[in-house]
Amino acid sequence: AQSVAQPEDQVNVAEGNPLTVKCTYSVSGNPYLFWYVQYPNRGLQFLLKYITGDNLVKGSYGFEAEFNKSQTSFHLKKPSALVSDSALYFCAVRDSNSGNTPLVFGKGTRLSVIA
Amino acid sequence: GAGVSQSPSNKVTEKGKDVELRCDPISGHTALYWYRQSLGQGLEFLIYFQGNSAPDKSGLPSDRFSAERTGGSVSTLTIQRTQQEDSAVYLCASSQRQGQISPYNEQFFGPGTRLTVL
């Protein structure tokens, strides 16, 4: 079975500081990993994904994520946070053997960037 | 259209009434998903359509919930005899262009329908 854990319900960071939103996963095969962001009263927007290759993946709005197979993690990072980054962030996973089945999502982490 | 659209954006209903929520996926996407997002919760998978295959209904919480997808495009999620615990945001997503079946296709989400059952 596939699962995702986002251990932090809330992350607070000062504007201009680096931010990290944590995600760990569990799959039986190889993982395909995704990050989505949800702004207030909006649907989820795709940020980035890891399929294969370079462990550091760059995505939209200056975000990046690092795949770590030994730690089964895919933490989302940004070198310098903006107030506009405040939103709800979801990590998701799909097993490489599962076809185009629904993504399994974490419970989400609310990021608050303080000016 | 350019993205996934959902209607209505907001729906307020009385307990016991039936509701229908509509999703119009991105043109050419053959996979369509329904999720439910309750306050303080993550995304709960409800049902999944893939082309002409039988839908995966494993996430539907009760037999009051059903969904159909007509002509491989528009989908309707129906909730019968609504209960207060059905109040949530219902999100629809689509993925995959025809001929590109792949587990690494991301899902594209609509804006959601906020359902409130009084």
Side-chain angles (χ1 to χ4, degrees):
Chain A
Q2 307 159 77
S3 67
V4 172
Q6 293 181 243
E8 301 155 318
D9 292 335
Q10 174 89 34
V11 169
N12 298 317
V13 64
E15 186 176 32
N17 283 2
L19 69 86
T20 298
V21 183
K22 295 179 180 178
C23 171
T24 59
Y25 67 89
S26 175
V27 295
S28 57
N30 291 317
Y32 294 150
L33 294 153
F34 303 77
W35 274 102
Y36 284 80
V37 59
Q38 186 179 34
Y39 297 103
N41 301 314
R42 302 284 295 276
L44 274 70
Q45 296 180 32
F46 168 74
L47 273 181
L48 52 78
K49 65 182 177 184
Y50 170 82
I51 304 303
T52 186
D54 195 347
N55 289 342
L56 186 64
V57 178
K58 294 188 183 296
S60 307
Y61 312 121
F63 283 93
E64 57 190 28
E66 185 168 13
F67 171 64
N68 187 316
K69 187 172 183 178
S70 63
Q71 297 185 4
T72 61
S73 67
F74 190 57
H75 301 332
L76 182 70
K77 300 181 180 185
K78 187 172 182 181
S80 179
L82 300 173
V83 172
S84 57
D85 292 331
S86 299
L88 189 57
Y89 290 82
F90 290 97
C91 182
V93 69
R94 184 186 280 137
D95 191 307
S96 60
N97 297 324
S98 67
N100 204 21
T101 53
L103 291 172
V104 174
F105 285 84
K107 289 191 177 296
T109 298
R110 186 165 300 282
L111 173 67
S112 181
V113 181
I114 304 160
Chain B
V4 178
S5 60
Q6 292 185 246
S7 61
S9 55
N10 280 284
K11 177 70 177 180
V12 180
T13 190
E14 293 179 348
K15 178 182 174 181
K17 300 278 188 177
D18 298 351
V19 295
E20 285 189 351
L21 312 180
R22 176 188 167 107
C23 172
D24 204 336
I26 292 172
S27 178
H29 280 190
T30 60
L32 187 147
Y33 316 81
W34 282 99
Y35 292 85
R36 179 168 70 176
Q37 184 178 20
S38 302
L39 187 63
Q41 301 294 317
L43 273 68
E44 176 188 5
F45 163 69
L46 297 177
I47 188 169
Y48 156 59
F49 296 88
Q50 173 62 65
N52 295 322
S53 303
D56 176 355
K57 305 179 182 180
S58 60
L60 294 179
S62 78
D63 59 7
R64 296 187 295 105
F65 288 73
S66 63
E68 62 178 22
R69 189 178 184 192
T70 54
S73 181
V74 173
S75 176
T76 302
L77 177 69
T78 302
I79 308 174
Q80 296 179 309
R81 305 181 303 282
T82 52
Q83 304 295 313
Q84 288 182 333
E85 61 262 29
D86 299 334
S87 297
V89 175
Y90 289 82
L91 293 167
C92 175
S94 69
S95 73
Q96 178 197 327
R97 296 189 182 278
Q98 288 178 336
Q100 293 184 348
I101 298 173
S102 168
Y104 54 79
N105 286 322
E106 61 267 33
Q107 296 174 189
F108 294 86
F109 283 81
T113 293
R114 182 175 298 277
L115 175 65
T116 303
V117 182
L118 301 176

